[in-house]
Amino acid sequence: QVQLVESGGGSVQAGGSLRLSCAASRYTSCMGWFRQAPGKEREGVAAIGRTGSTYYADSVKGRFTVSKDNATNILYLQMNSLKPEDSAMYYCAAGSHPFRPCIATMTYPYYYWGQGTQVTVSS
């Protein structure tokens, strides 16, 4: 079992920045960030694998950076140049697979999810 606790959400104006954190109770080889806006499906944002390989959704490339501190099992998401369409509940997820690359999609076996942290970007 892995417990995930997100923090760092809040309200910011367009163009601003936020850094989300996700504290995991133990190591997992793949960790990702997802988001869900009201009335929309949950979508993948970014992920980082055991080798440090990263994945980003097209909508956040060049603006968001995912990183992980393996010593403390804390996952981060640095979000810059935020847009109103980035407003959503952001969730941290953890999983593993022996062969599949670590990407932020709902088809990857993410077994554990956090409770989420709200991000609101005003125009």
Side-chain angles (χ1 to χ4, degrees), residues 46-114:
I48 186 165
R50 61 179 178 84
T51 64
S53 59
T54 56
Y55 164 92
Y56 296 96
D58 288 343
S59 59
V60 306
K61 282 180 182 176
R63 300 188 298 122
F64 290 11
T65 303
V66 62
S67 61
K68 185 181 177 188
D69 185 334
N70 287 320
T72 59
N73 293 324
I74 298 178
L75 178 72
Y76 299 99
L77 184 68
Q78 178 66 43
M79 304 186 295
N80 298 328
S81 302
L82 282 161
K83 304 175 181 179
E85 51 263 43
D86 293 317
S87 297
M89 184 71 78
Y90 281 70
Y91 298 91
C92 170
S96 65
H97 192 281
F99 308 118
R100 295 181 61 181
C102 177
I103 58 175
T105 66
M106 295 302 292
T107 59
Y108 186 91
Y110 286 102
Y111 301 117
Y112 308 103
W113 293 81

Side-chain angles (χ1 to χ4, degrees), residues 26-41:
R26 65 171 178 83
Y27 171 82
T28 55
S29 60
C30 178
M31 295 190 73
W33 288 100
F34 290 75
R35 65 187 182 187
Q36 188 167 19
K40 295 188 177 181
E41 292 187 352

